[in-house]
């Protein structure tokens, strides 16, 4: 199916001892339209090394990241129609994730792919768990109170 | 706004209560609620509370619609609590509200929880322009309306009065069922002795954390030496906390020349607090308004009612602006529905 929700995440163990994590939740648009998000959002912050990327900064070897080769993984959740996929995205997108140190990513960035850093794998786990919990709740809500009224 | 009746669905879940209420033009059509009750000695944690809400919010919604005898197509607007409150439970309910609004193609409306309490209190009691004492597990504020804002005259500078009571209940391992405050109130009725506790009114503000630390420190010693009973401690704590609240409310009423006082929030259904407020009001020739536990304690209808007032004056929340916020002060809301 052409319509789905993509959840991807990958992680590297950074040279400074922190986890760097990218996660994105987005709706794949039907064929012929550009998907609502593919690839990292450069506006949020300068990119650091990501999974699979070659270290570009050869000069400072001591700061090179230690790679833990997590393959980036993707979860596709099919919806019966583009409208329902759009609704799910609309329900999950507005809330900013709490950033490290309580710093929030501005909500208007959330509809595009998002990235954030977590100092501990635990924080990453909690975040993805909560994303999936909310996704499940959206789907249950659709099952009980759907289908969407035609517009 | 379009003529004819307006029906608003309100969803609340900012703390350990989750509720769905339907209000049509000042009439509460349904207002079911569920409460997450942790074991004695424990408080409610955000993750557990959110799990509780996820587990029952959809059944509650169905119950609310059935009781009101309404079809989703008859709902004009979906209101939900935007804040303040605990993050995880707030998001849980907001996610459902957003999904419903989109499924039904209806406008969405983010409501300030405190404003919800005030508007519900005004609706149920008919108070016109009261000085409001808003007391709950998360908030303690004295509020008066002026120039399209609910202005905060006084508030706690640390923890809420309900939080002080809840945490005291944990010290004594008092049951959280149906609520710690209710059980303290029942025990306090059997108190015979007033134990002296710090009294911390600071101008128009109050502080409760020092009282809590003090009672946490002395409680077990005093109980072990049989200087006092748990009932005496409940009684003394209530008397001290409520006297402070009555004092700042009275000062706000004197300042505003107010002839009406309204008590809202979960602690507001405490009959001893209502009694003390009643005495103060009688002495001032003012009238006291309070509601019972159905509307005092967090519920969906209060969000629906505030949402109804907002919606009829043209307010809506765009989907992308529907994020929740743990901090959301009462005076941030522009009150478009009052003169």
């Amino acid at each position: 199916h052409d319509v789905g929700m993509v959840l991807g995440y990958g992680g590297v163990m950074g040279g400074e001892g922190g986890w760097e994590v990218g996660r994105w939740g987005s709706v794949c648009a039907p064929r012929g339209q550009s998907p609502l998000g593919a690839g990292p959002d450069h506006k949020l912050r300068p990119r650091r090394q990501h999974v699979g990327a070659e270290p570009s900064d050869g000069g400072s070897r001591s700061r090179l990241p230690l790679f833990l080769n997590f393959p980036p993984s993707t979860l596709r959740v099919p919806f019966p129609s583009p409208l329902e996929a759009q609704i799910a995205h609309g329900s999950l997108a507005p809330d900013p994730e709490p950033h490290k140190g309580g710093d929030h990513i501005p909500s208007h960035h959330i509809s595009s792919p998002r990235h954030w850093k977590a100092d501990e794998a635990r924080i990453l786990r909690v975040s993805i768990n909560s994303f999936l919990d909310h996704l499940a709740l959206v789907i249950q809500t659709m099952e009980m109170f759907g289908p969407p009224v035609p517009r | 706004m379009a003529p004819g009746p307006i029906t608003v669905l309100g969803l609340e879940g900012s703390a350990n209560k989750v509720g769905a209420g339907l209000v049509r033009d000042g009439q509460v059509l349904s207002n079911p609620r569920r409460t997450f009750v942790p074991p004695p000695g424990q408080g409610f944690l955000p993750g557990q509370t959110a799990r509780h809400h996820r587990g029952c919010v959809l059944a509650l919604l169905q119950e609310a619609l059935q009781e009101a005898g309404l079809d989703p197509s008859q709902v004009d607007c979906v209101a939900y609590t935007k804040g303040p409150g605990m993050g995880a439970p707030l998001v849980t309910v907001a996610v459902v509200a957003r999904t419903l609004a989109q499924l039904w193609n209806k406008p969405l409306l983010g409501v300030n929880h405190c404003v919800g309490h005030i508007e519900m209190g005004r609706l149920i009691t008919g108070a016109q322009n009261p000085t409001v004492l808003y007391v709950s597990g998360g908030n303690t504020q004295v509020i008066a309306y002026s120039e399209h804002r609910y202005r905060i005259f006084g508030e706690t500078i640390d923890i809420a009065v309900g939080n002080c009571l809840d945490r005291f209940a944990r010290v004594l391992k008092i049951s959280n069922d149906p609520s710690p405050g209710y059980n303290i109130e029942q025990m306090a009725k059997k108190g015979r002795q007033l134990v002296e506790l710090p009294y911390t009114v600071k101008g128009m503000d109050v502080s409760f954390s020092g009282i809590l630390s003090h009672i946490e420190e002395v409680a077990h010693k005093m109980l072990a030496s049989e200087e006092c009973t748990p009932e005496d401690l409940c009684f003394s704590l209530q008397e001290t906390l409520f006297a402070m609240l009555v004092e700042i409310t009275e000062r706000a009423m004197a300042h505003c020349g107010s002839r009406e006082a309204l008590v809202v929030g979960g602690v507001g259904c405490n009959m001893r607090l209502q009694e003390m407020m009643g005495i103060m009001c009688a002495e001032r020739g003012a009238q006291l308004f309070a509601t019972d536990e159905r509307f005092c304690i967090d519920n969906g209808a209060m969000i629906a009612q505030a949402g109804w007032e907002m919606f009829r004056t043209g307010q809506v929340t765009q989907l992308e602006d529907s994020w929740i916020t743990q901090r959301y002060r009462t005076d941030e809301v522009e009150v478009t529905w009052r003169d």
Side-chain angles (χ1 to χ4, degrees):
Chain A
H1 210 291
D2 265 321
V3 177
M5 173 156 290
V6 181
L7 167 74
Y9 57 95
V12 294
M13 182 72 138
E16 292 138 39
W19 290 87
E20 180 159 346
V21 175
R23 186 199 81 179
W24 49 98
S26 63
V27 176
C28 282
R31 211 192 306 275
Q33 294 175 20
S34 72
L36 272 180
D41 185 351
H42 294 274
K43 277 181 288 187
L44 290 185
R45 56 177 182 75
R47 282 190 68 190
R48 290 178 55 192
Q49 302 291 344
H50 282 269
V51 172
E54 285 298 317
S56 57
D57 182 4
S60 53
R61 297 191 70 82
S62 59
R63 295 182 60 220
L64 285 183
L66 292 166
F67 284 98
L68 293 178
N69 276 321
F70 285 151
S73 35
T74 301
L75 173 72
R76 285 185 64 86
V77 181
F79 286 94
S81 72
L83 179 58
E84 273 145 313
Q86 189 62 53
I87 288 174
H89 179 257
S91 296
L92 295 169
D95 288 307
E97 281 285 343
H99 206 251
K100 191 177 100 179
D103 190 18
H104 286 62
I105 300 171
S107 59
H108 57 269
H109 286 312
I110 298 300
S111 59
S112 27
R114 42 183 160 157
H115 284 247
W116 70 93
K117 261 158 73 171
D119 282 340
E120 295 165 54
R122 180 181 62 87
I123 295 170
L124 171 62
R125 190 197 74 216
V126 167
S127 177
I128 289 171
N129 277 350
S130 111
F131 180 81
L132 292 176
D133 283 340
H134 294 147
L135 177 61
L137 186 58
V138 167
I139 293 168
Q140 281 179 320
T141 310
M142 287 177 166
E143 283 167 357
M144 274 178 82
F145 297 97
V149 298
R151 47 204 78 174
Chain B
M1 202 79 267
I6 301 172
T7 309
V8 180
L9 167 68
L11 291 172
E12 152 64 24
S14 61
N16 68 331
K17 267 79 69 179
V18 57
L22 281 154
V23 168
R24 171 181 286 166
D25 294 352
Q27 197 191 346
V28 179
L29 303 176
S30 60
N31 194 18
R33 165 175 71 202
R34 302 268 191 286
T35 307
F36 171 57
V37 179
Q42 289 180 32
F44 52 90
L45 300 171
Q48 295 173 350
T49 310
R51 193 178 316 141
H52 168 267
H53 290 5
R54 276 201 304 277
C56 56
V57 63
L58 296 177
L60 265 179
L61 252 165
Q62 214 151 39
E63 199 179 317
L65 286 165
Q66 260 165 22
E67 199 185 317
L70 288 184
D71 184 80
S73 64
Q74 294 167 283
V75 173
D76 296 301
C77 173
V78 179
Y80 69 98
T81 309
K82 185 177 179 68
M86 293 166 101
L90 279 172
V91 176
T92 301
V93 172
V95 159
V96 174
R98 287 180 202 127
T99 309
L100 291 175
Q102 293 181 91
L103 283 174
W104 300 343
N105 204 17
K106 303 288 182 185
L108 190 63
L109 197 42
V111 173
N112 180 301
H113 181 84
C114 315
V115 171
H117 273 295
I118 298 170
E119 292 310 330
M120 198 66 200
R122 289 180 62 226
L123 171 70
I124 298 296
T125 64
Q128 289 302 306
N129 185 22
T131 299
V132 182
L133 174 64
Y134 168 32
V135 276
S136 69
N139 294 280
T140 303
Q141 296 176 343
V142 178
I143 301 156
Y145 174 79
S146 166
E147 304 278 317
H148 299 286
R149 299 272 165 184
Y150 284 115
R151 316 264 170 191
I152 301 170
F153 268 70
E155 60 188 317
T156 175
I157 58 173
D158 39 59
I159 58 172
V161 62
N163 192 239
C164 183
L165 289 165
D166 291 354
R167 285 161 68 176
F168 167 71
R170 280 179 237 162
V171 174
L172 294 197
K173 296 270 193 322
I174 294 171
S175 166
N176 290 322
D177 187 18
S179 72
Y182 178 82
N183 294 326
I184 290 174
E185 183 181 356
Q186 304 317 311
M187 286 173 72
K189 289 176 183 166
K190 296 177 206 125
R192 290 285 163 267
Q193 188 199 153
L194 185 71
V195 177
E196 198 175 325
L197 296 171
Y199 184 92
T200 40
V201 172
K202 321 229 172 205
M204 286 303 292
D205 293 333
V206 285
S207 163
F208 298 120
S209 70
I211 302 175
L212 178 66
S213 311
H214 175 82
I215 207 163
E216 278 174 346
E217 206 178 288
V218 301
H220 290 301
K221 264 183 265 174
M222 292 184 79
L223 292 175
S225 65
E226 295 184 352
E227 267 178 80
C228 68
T229 63
E231 286 76 12
D232 291 335
L233 287 177
C234 291
F235 168 71
S236 309
L237 185 62
Q238 276 200 172
E239 293 299 304
T240 308
L241 299 182
F242 296 167
M244 290 163 57
L245 296 172
V246 171
E247 181 187 332
I248 60 167
T249 311
E250 179 170 23
R251 200 172 295 135
M253 289 173 75
H255 186 81
C256 303
S258 177
R259 292 257 157 259
E260 294 176 330
L262 171 66
V263 193
V264 298
V267 183
C269 60
N270 186 301
M271 294 312 291
R272 178 57 186 155
L273 175 61
Q274 290 188 17
E275 186 187 351
M276 289 168 76
M277 287 285 290
I279 295 168
M280 179 272 282
C281 286
E283 286 174 358
R284 303 187 52 78
Q287 203 181 351
L288 175 69
F289 296 93
T291 57
D292 63 29
E293 53 82 32
R294 287 170 301 166
F295 303 114
C296 237
I297 298 174
D298 294 351
N299 61 87
M302 69 184 225
I303 300 304
Q305 174 59 17
W308 182 86
E309 294 277 20
M310 292 166 80
F311 185 66
R312 77 181 172 89
T313 50
Q315 295 195 42
V316 287
T317 303
Q318 295 306 317
L319 189 61
E320 58 270 25
D321 300 325
S322 67
W323 36 270
I324 60 95
T325 169
Q326 299 191 49
R327 298 184 188 282
Y328 189 10
R329 283 178 67 79
T330 316
D331 51 14
E332 281 176 53
V333 179
E334 193 188 353
V335 181
T336 48
W337 55 93
R338 286 186 67 176
D339 295 331

